[in-house]
């Protein structure tokens, strides 16, 4: 088999409502029966009006792009910073739901076609009518690949060509039975076509000639390429893996480290809420819920909290006879961390459900039970933040000045501040952790 792959020139700028089959038939190309016509997703989306309005400024354009991604997403698979890998309604898993701001005017972003297989069938039928040829059509788009850098073009829609060539059950030249081999022919066609179309050359259509392929009598399009959920070994996103106990829990706990140096990147509130949902699953005495998490959301609230703690600490240190320069250094060090961390949470212990025992021994034991529960909730929170890709550090801070903290944050007198948790993206990888032999901390009886 020998193949020819060549771009189709003269298509011009595509506008909403354009007939792509007519544009291709009128271009400088003579199509043959059996050709595979590859059309980029971008011109299909333009012709079908799959364009989302965007403002003129970079911030407006990015806000519009994020809104478009939300509209196209049915499941978030993974997130890192502003990058989201999501599943679309088509079943595709890709970055940003395929929403793209390249090769379109600056006042719009492009979405994937509503039904790329239907788009391919329409172009194929149009070429049969206008050019009198029986061709296959593939709609292509650029996807990244897990564990490999760079993008390649793949098929997101197809007509007249089977998506998969199935070798399972056949025997190779050495007599080995092939048990898992399926070749994604339409993806390979899309990748070959991209080599002559490029990303910046304004060539949105290519022809692959000489390929021997099977037709698609069932009009299945690219649906056979979408792996069913039950066969997907990597389906779970971070939050799902955490909730369902997938992976190695010991490795997740081991990955939790105290982080004190963060990037300025803001904390995604959705990640924070998922971590809080894990926190409040902690065990507690007497079926109570003795934890509260105060989210210090605003600059004003943080400034008031830091000012209250600063005054209280300064007074305490002065009463202890600590040198003034030492006091200032300690306050500056605390301010630097609590003031610069992207997010600040104050866990509080509420013991309203505690039993009122008449003797001091049992009252002390009762409070200790609640304190243990508080620690479990915060540990859940820290581990869940780690699973979300966030760094954190639990500081004692507020425990040394509970009343000023309550006044600054407007908290009830029954809420006992249990330190503060600073949260953000780690600015650097954690250094290796010194090995600890668990046997040193275990006593057997």
């Amino acid at each position: 088999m020998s193949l020819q792959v060549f771009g189709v020139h003269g298509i011009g700028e595509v506008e909403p409502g354009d007939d792509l089959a007519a544009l291709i038939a009128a271009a400088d190309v003579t199509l043959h029966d059996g050709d595979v016509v590859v059309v980029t997703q971008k011109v299909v989306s333009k012709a079908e009006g799959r364009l989302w309005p965007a403002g003129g400024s970079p911030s407006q354009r990015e806000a519009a792009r994020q809104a478009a991604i939300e509209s196209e997403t049915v499941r978030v698979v993974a997130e890192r910073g502003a990058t989201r890998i999501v599943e679309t309604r088509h079943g595709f898993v890709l970055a940003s739901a395929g929403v793209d701001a390249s090769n379109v005017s600056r006042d719009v972003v492009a979405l994937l076609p509503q039904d790329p297989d239907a788009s391919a069938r329409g172009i194929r039928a149009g070429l049969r009518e206008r050019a009198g040829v029986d061709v296959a059509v593939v709609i292509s788009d650029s996807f990244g690949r897990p564990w490999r850098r760079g993008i390649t073009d793949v098929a997101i829609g197809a007509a007249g060509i089977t998506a998969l060539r199935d070798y399972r059950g056949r025997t190779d030249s050495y007599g080995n039975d092939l048990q898992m081999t399926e070749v994604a022919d339409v993806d390979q066609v899309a990748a070959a076509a991209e080599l002559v179309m490029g990303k910046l050359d304004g060539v949105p259509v290519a022809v692959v000639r000489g390929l021997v392929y099977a037709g698609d009598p069932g009009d299945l399009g690219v649906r056979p390429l979408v792996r069913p959920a039950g066969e997907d070994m990597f389906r779970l996103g971070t939050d799902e893996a955490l909730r369902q106990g997938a992976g190695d829990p010991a490795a997740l706990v081991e990955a939790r480290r105290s982080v004190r140096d963060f990037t300025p990147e803001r904390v995604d509130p959705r990640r924070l809420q998922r971590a809080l949902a894990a926190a409040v699953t902690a065990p507690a005495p007497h079926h109570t819920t003795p934890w509260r998490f105060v989210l210090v959301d605003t600059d004003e609230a943080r400034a008031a909290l830091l000012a209250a703690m600063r005054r209280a600490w300064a007074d305490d240190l002065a009463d202890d006879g600590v040198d003034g320069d030492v006091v200032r250094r300690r306050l500056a060090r605390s301010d630097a961390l609590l003031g610069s961390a992207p997010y600040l949470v104050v866990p509080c212990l509420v013991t309203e459900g505690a039993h009122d025992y008449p003797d001091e021994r049992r009252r002390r034991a009762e409070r200790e039970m609640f304190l243990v529960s508080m620690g479990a909730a915060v540990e859940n929170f820290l581990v869940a933040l780690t699973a979300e890709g966030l760094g954190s550090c639990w500081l004692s801070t507020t425990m040394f000045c509970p009343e000023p903290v309550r006044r600054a944050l407007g908290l009830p007198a029954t809420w006992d501040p249990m330190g503060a948790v600073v949260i953000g993206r780690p600015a650097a990888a954690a250094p290796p952790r010194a090995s600890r032999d668990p046997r040193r901390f275990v006593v057997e009886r």
Side-chain angles (χ1 to χ4, degrees):
M1 184 191 300
S2 64
L3 301 178
Q4 284 182 283
V5 185
F6 54 90
V8 176
H9 296 266
I11 298 295
E13 181 63 27
V14 175
E15 302 289 346
D18 281 351
D19 183 337
L20 285 176
L23 294 176
I24 296 168
D28 185 19
V29 64
T30 301
L31 296 175
H32 298 171
D33 286 347
D35 285 347
V36 183
V37 178
V38 182
V39 185
T40 62
Q41 161 269 324
K42 194 62 59 63
V43 294
V44 176
S45 294
K46 287 180 179 180
E48 296 179 356
R50 292 283 288 161
L51 303 173
W52 188 284
S57 71
S59 61
Q60 290 173 325
R61 189 169 172 80
E62 178 59 18
R65 192 178 76 89
Q66 293 297 333
I69 293 170
E70 290 285 350
S71 75
E72 295 294 290
T73 297
V74 298
R75 182 174 67 95
V76 176
V77 176
E79 295 179 273
R80 177 171 294 173
T83 301
R84 277 184 282 175
I85 308 299
V86 306
E87 181 180 349
T88 69
R89 67 175 64 88
H90 317 86
F92 305 147
V93 175
L94 73 165
S96 303
V99 174
D100 194 356
S102 65
N103 292 310
V104 291
S105 62
R106 296 191 62 80
D107 60 347
V108 296
V109 293
L111 286 64
L112 294 184
Q114 192 76 31
D115 184 345
D117 286 330
S119 303
R121 291 194 297 270
I123 295 171
R124 182 178 186 234
L127 289 173
R128 184 185 298 114
E129 177 184 346
R130 294 176 178 277
V133 290
D134 184 13
V135 297
V137 173
V138 169
I139 310 296
S140 67
D141 195 14
S142 300
F143 278 33
R145 288 86 41 79
W147 306 292
R148 294 181 73 88
R149 298 181 67 151
I151 58 174
T152 61
D153 271 28
V154 301
I156 63 169
I161 179 173
T162 54
L164 286 171
R165 187 159 25 110
D166 192 351
Y167 285 96
R168 292 174 299 177
R170 298 173 65 177
T171 304
D172 67 15
S173 58
Y174 292 93
N176 300 307
D177 293 332
L178 301 181
Q179 299 178 4
M180 301 181 66
T181 304
E182 295 176 286
V183 178
D185 276 350
V186 289
D187 283 348
Q188 297 192 106
V189 166
E194 195 281 332
L195 294 175
V196 299
M197 292 191 291
K199 301 299 182 192
L200 304 174
D201 300 330
V203 180
V205 179
V207 175
V208 177
R209 180 168 293 164
L211 178 69
V212 177
Y213 59 88
D216 185 9
D219 269 342
L220 297 178
V222 301
R223 278 177 289 163
L225 295 177
V226 178
R227 190 181 296 278
E231 297 178 8
D232 190 348
M233 296 174 64
F234 306 100
R235 182 173 179 80
L236 296 182
T238 300
D239 57 326
E240 296 165 309
L242 181 66
R243 288 197 304 268
Q244 298 184 28
D248 182 355
L252 184 60
V253 173
E254 171 66 19
R256 191 216 63 77
R257 307 291 291 276
S258 291
V259 176
R260 293 176 173 84
D261 189 14
F262 304 101
T263 70
E265 182 182 341
R266 66 182 291 273
V267 172
D268 185 337
R270 294 171 301 177
R271 293 180 179 274
L272 186 65
Q273 292 298 329
R274 290 195 291 259
L276 289 167
V280 298
T281 64
H286 314 314
H287 304 288
T288 59
T289 54
W291 342 271
R292 304 293 184 270
F293 291 85
V294 182
L295 311 184
V296 185
D297 267 332
T298 66
D299 292 340
E300 293 78 11
R302 188 185 299 219
L305 173 63
L306 295 185
M309 290 195 295
R310 193 182 302 115
R311 288 190 297 270
W313 293 338
D315 291 344
D316 284 349
L317 291 171
D319 290 344
D320 292 341
V322 178
D323 180 77
D325 287 339
V326 174
V327 172
R328 283 187 288 274
R329 284 198 300 271
R330 289 184 182 179
L331 293 178
R333 191 163 57 242
S334 176
D335 271 1
L337 179 53
L338 293 171
S340 65
Y343 210 94
L344 184 63
V345 174
V346 178
C348 292
L349 175 66
V350 178
T351 59
E352 293 169 347
H355 292 173
D356 187 17
Y357 290 110
D359 59 288
E360 177 60 26
R361 178 182 62 82
R362 284 189 289 179
R363 283 197 300 270
R364 185 174 62 250
E366 185 78 355
R367 180 168 175 79
E368 288 174 350
M369 284 197 303
F370 279 80
L371 284 171
V372 168
S373 178
M374 184 78 241
V378 174
E379 177 67 2
N380 277 7
F381 186 44
L382 301 180
V383 171
L385 289 171
T386 301
E388 294 287 348
L390 296 169
S392 62
C393 186
W394 186 14
L395 308 166
S396 58
T397 55
T398 64
M399 299 175 71
F400 290 92
C401 48
E403 186 53 39
V405 168
R406 282 192 286 264
R407 285 198 303 268
L409 297 177
L411 305 180
T414 54
W415 290 26
D416 289 338
M418 292 285 117
V421 179
V422 289
I423 303 166
R425 288 279 182 188
R433 190 196 298 269
S435 177
R436 290 177 180 170
D437 184 350
R439 291 173 298 183
R440 292 175 50 203
F441 308 96
V442 175
V443 176
E444 296 183 2
R445 291 288 188 267

